[in-house]
Every structure is written in structure tokens, then in C-alpha cells.
Amino acid sequence: MPAPRRIGLTGGIGSGKSTVLAMLQALGAAAVDADAISRATTAAGGAAIPLIAQRFGADFITPEGALDRARMRERAYGHPEARRELEQIIHPLVGAGIARQVEAAQAAGARCIVFDIPLLVESGRWRAGVERVLVVDCEPQTQVARVVARSALAPDEVRTVIAAQAPRALRLAAADLVICNEGLTLDALRNEVEQAARSFGL
């Protein structure tokens, strides 16, 4: 059985990346969600929790047993070394989780594995692990409008999130294929995704 194609998927907040991933899954792709794996390591009972408590103290764990994200965010912003230490705990666990999901997808006979990786562009190690990069793109004002509509965030808060992500130009420069999700109906977006999927062997 040939090895599955390995596709990296990325896009800014509000770009429609999650919708595109769901459409690719409906067409038969296996999905590896790095963010979900990362969140699971710091949820109640997650593999990172004992290590975080040991390194940072019990104050950084909620009564429910999960990472206190607000407290850790405050600590990491003020102390860059704290962020590095947290990453040193979480990244190996995420890597192991991804490896397990890839193994399961291969065992199930998946023809294509899509890696949903928010930091795909920023992290050189991820780019080296995928054959092609698919970027879901739209105008920044569209990102803001979509996120405001679906969340409790104010426009300025969304702009802050966008500013903290990889610059749009950097994502586009790293892309092998771009889906421009601007002014498309769901059916039109699905058509774009189907065209991309054919090039991935789906």
C-alpha cells in the first residue's frame, strides 16, 4: 500500500480553515489536529498536567485539574523563559500524539493525511514534514467580521489575534495551493476544496 499523501493545512483565524478541513474529511482525508492534541495535554487529566504542576506549581492548575490558561498566559507574557519551558513540556507530548494519529490513519488505509497546524508557517520543522501546503485565505476585514459574528470577541481583540499570527504574506509565500475563501457560498467553497482534493489523490 503506498504511503498516504501528507498535506499541511493552515490559515488565519476566521479564514474558514476548519470548514475546509471538514470538507476534506468528507472526501476521505484523515485529519490530524495539532491544536486539539495540544489542548488535550493540558485538559483535566492531560499528560502535561503533572509536569506543569511540578515545574510551575499547583497554582497553575485549576480545581478541575486542567491548566489555568489565564494565569499561564499572564506568566508567559511577562516571562519569555516560562513560555519556552511550557513549550518544552507540551511539544514532545503533541509530537507523540500526532505520531499515534498518523500510525492509526496509515493502518486504516488513508490515502491522504491533512495536518491542521496553526504554526505551520512559523515552524520550519512542520514544513519539512508535509509534501504540500494548502492555505485558506481571505481579507483581514473578512476575518474580523467572521470571528466577531461567531464569538464574544470585540473587533480590536480579533485584530490583536490576527497580528499575533503569521503575516498573511508569509502564509501565502509558503503555500503550494491557495483557496481564496472570500465571498464564496458553501457550495462554491466545496467546489474549490474538491478541486484541491483531486490533486491530493482523493
Side-chain angles (χ1 to χ4, degrees), residues 40-72:
T41 69
T42 57
I49 296 301
L51 299 168
I52 292 169
Q54 182 182 357
R55 172 60 193 86
F56 295 98
D59 287 350
F60 286 85
I61 309 302
T62 68
E64 295 74 30
L67 171 66
D68 187 330
R69 293 182 178 278
R71 186 183 286 263
M72 182 58 77

Coordinates of all heavy atoms in Angstrom, one line a residue, residues 40-72:
A40 N -5.7 18.8 24.6 CA -5.9 17.6 25.4 C -4.8 17.3 26.4 O -5.1 16.9 27.5 CB -6.0 16.4 24.4
T41 N -3.6 17.7 26.0 CA -2.5 17.5 27.0 C -2.6 18.4 28.2 O -2.1 18.1 29.3 CB -1.1 17.8 26.3 OG1 -0.9 19.1 26.1 CG2 -0.9 16.9 25.1
T42 N -3.3 19.5 28.1 CA -3.4 20.5 29.2 C -4.8 20.5 29.8 O -5.1 21.3 30.7 CB -3.0 21.9 28.8 OG1 -3.8 22.3 27.7 CG2 -1.5 22.0 28.4
A43 N -5.7 19.6 29.3 CA -7.0 19.5 29.9 C -6.9 18.7 31.2 O -5.9 18.1 31.5 CB -8.0 18.8 28.9
A44 N -8.0 18.6 31.9 CA -8.0 17.8 33.2 C -7.6 16.4 32.9 O -8.2 15.8 32.0 CB -9.4 17.9 33.8
G45 N -6.6 15.9 33.6 CA -6.1 14.5 33.3 C -5.2 14.4 32.2 O -4.7 13.3 31.9
G46 N -4.8 15.5 31.5 CA -3.9 15.5 30.4 C -2.5 15.2 30.8 O -2.1 15.4 32.0
A47 N -1.7 14.7 29.9 CA -0.4 14.2 30.2 C 0.6 15.3 30.6 O 1.5 15.0 31.3 CB 0.2 13.5 28.9
A48 N 0.3 16.5 30.3 CA 1.2 17.6 30.6 C 0.9 18.1 32.1 O 1.8 18.8 32.6 CB 1.0 18.8 29.6
I49 N -0.2 17.8 32.6 CA -0.6 18.5 33.9 C 0.4 18.2 35.0 O 0.8 19.1 35.7 CB -2.1 18.1 34.3 CG1 -3.1 18.6 33.2 CG2 -2.4 18.6 35.7 CD1 -3.0 20.1 33.1
P50 N 0.8 16.9 35.3 CA 1.7 16.7 36.4 C 3.0 17.4 36.2 O 3.6 17.9 37.1 CB 1.9 15.1 36.3 CG 0.7 14.6 35.6 CD 0.4 15.7 34.6
L51 N 3.5 17.5 34.9 CA 4.8 18.1 34.6 C 4.7 19.6 34.8 O 5.6 20.3 35.3 CB 5.2 17.8 33.2 CG 5.4 16.3 32.8 CD1 5.5 16.1 31.4 CD2 6.6 15.8 33.6
I52 N 3.5 20.2 34.4 CA 3.3 21.7 34.6 C 3.2 22.0 36.1 O 3.8 23.0 36.6 CB 2.0 22.1 33.9 CG1 2.2 22.0 32.4 CG2 1.6 23.5 34.3 CD1 0.9 22.2 31.6
A53 N 2.5 21.2 36.9 CA 2.4 21.4 38.3 C 3.8 21.3 39.0 O 4.1 22.1 39.9 CB 1.5 20.4 38.9
Q54 N 4.6 20.3 38.5 CA 5.9 20.2 39.1 C 6.8 21.4 38.8 O 7.6 21.8 39.6 CB 6.5 18.9 38.5 CG 7.9 18.5 39.0 CD 8.5 17.3 38.4 OE1 7.8 16.6 37.6 NE2 9.7 16.9 38.7
R55 N 6.7 21.9 37.5 CA 7.6 23.0 37.1 C 7.1 24.3 37.6 O 7.9 25.2 38.1 CB 7.8 23.0 35.6 CG 8.5 24.2 35.0 CD 9.9 24.2 35.6 NE 10.5 25.5 35.3 CZ 10.4 26.6 36.0 NH1 9.7 26.6 37.1 NH2 11.1 27.7 35.7
F56 N 5.8 24.6 37.5 CA 5.3 25.9 37.8 C 4.6 26.0 39.1 O 4.3 27.2 39.6 CB 4.4 26.4 36.7 CG 5.1 26.6 35.3 CD1 5.0 25.6 34.4 CD2 5.7 27.7 35.0 CE1 5.7 25.7 33.1 CE2 6.4 27.9 33.8 CZ 6.3 26.9 32.9
G57 N 4.2 24.9 39.7 CA 3.4 24.9 40.9 C 1.9 24.7 40.8 O 1.4 24.9 39.7
A58 N 1.3 24.2 41.9 CA -0.1 23.9 41.8 C -1.0 25.1 41.5 O -2.2 24.9 41.1 CB -0.5 23.2 43.2
D59 N -0.5 26.3 41.7 CA -1.3 27.5 41.4 C -1.7 27.6 40.0 O -2.6 28.3 39.6 CB -0.6 28.7 41.8 CG -0.5 28.9 43.3 OD1 -1.2 28.2 44.0 OD2 0.2 29.8 43.8
F60 N -1.0 26.9 39.1 CA -1.2 27.0 37.7 C -2.2 25.9 37.2 O -2.4 25.8 36.0 CB 0.1 26.9 36.9 CG 0.9 28.2 37.0 CD1 1.7 28.4 38.1 CD2 0.7 29.2 36.0 CE1 2.4 29.6 38.2 CE2 1.4 30.4 36.1 CZ 2.3 30.6 37.2
I61 N -2.7 25.1 38.1 CA -3.7 24.1 37.8 C -5.0 24.5 38.4 O -5.1 24.9 39.6 CB -3.2 22.7 38.3 CG1 -1.8 22.4 37.9 CG2 -4.2 21.6 37.9 CD1 -1.6 22.4 36.4
T62 N -6.1 24.4 37.6 CA -7.4 24.7 38.1 C -7.9 23.7 39.1 O -7.4 22.5 39.1 CB -8.5 24.8 37.0 OG1 -8.7 23.5 36.4 CG2 -8.0 25.8 35.9
P63 N -9.0 24.0 39.9 CA -9.5 23.0 40.8 C -10.0 21.7 40.1 O -10.0 20.6 40.7 CB -10.7 23.7 41.5 CG -10.3 25.1 41.4 CD -9.6 25.3 40.1
E64 N -10.4 21.9 38.8 CA -10.8 20.7 38.0 C -9.7 19.9 37.5 O -9.9 18.8 36.9 CB -11.6 21.2 36.8 CG -13.0 21.9 37.2 CD -12.8 23.3 37.7 OE1 -11.8 24.0 37.3 OE2 -13.6 23.7 38.5
G65 N -8.4 20.4 37.6 CA -7.3 19.6 37.2 C -6.7 19.9 35.8 O -5.9 19.2 35.3
A66 N -7.1 21.1 35.3 CA -6.7 21.5 34.0 C -5.7 22.6 34.1 O -5.5 23.2 35.2 CB -7.8 21.9 33.1
L67 N -5.0 23.0 33.1 CA -4.1 24.1 33.1 C -4.9 25.4 33.3 O -5.9 25.6 32.6 CB -3.3 24.2 31.8 CG -2.5 25.5 31.5 CD1 -1.3 25.6 32.5 CD2 -2.0 25.5 30.1
D68 N -4.5 26.3 34.2 CA -5.1 27.6 34.3 C -4.6 28.5 33.2 O -3.5 29.1 33.4 CB -4.8 28.2 35.7 CG -5.6 29.4 36.0 OD1 -5.9 30.2 35.0 OD2 -5.9 29.7 37.2
R69 N -5.3 28.5 32.1 CA -4.8 29.2 30.9 C -4.5 30.7 31.1 O -3.6 31.3 30.7 CB -5.7 29.0 29.7 CG -5.7 27.5 29.3 CD -6.6 27.3 28.1 NE -6.6 25.9 27.7 CZ -5.6 25.4 26.9 NH1 -4.6 26.1 26.5 NH2 -5.6 24.1 26.6
A70 N -5.5 31.3 31.8 CA -5.3 32.8 32.1 C -4.1 33.1 32.9 O -3.3 34.0 32.6 CB -6.6 33.3 32.8
R71 N -3.9 32.3 33.9 CA -2.7 32.5 34.8 C -1.4 32.3 34.0 O -0.4 33.0 34.1 CB -2.8 31.7 36.0 CG -1.7 31.9 37.0 CD -1.8 31.0 38.2 NE -2.9 31.3 39.1 CZ -2.7 32.0 40.2 NH1 -1.5 32.5 40.6 NH2 -3.7 32.3 41.0
M72 N -1.4 31.2 33.2 CA -0.2 30.8 32.5 C 0.0 31.9 31.4 O 1.2 32.2 31.1 CB -0.4 29.4 31.9 CG 0.9 29.0 31.1 SD 2.4 28.9 32.1 CE 2.1 27.4 33.0

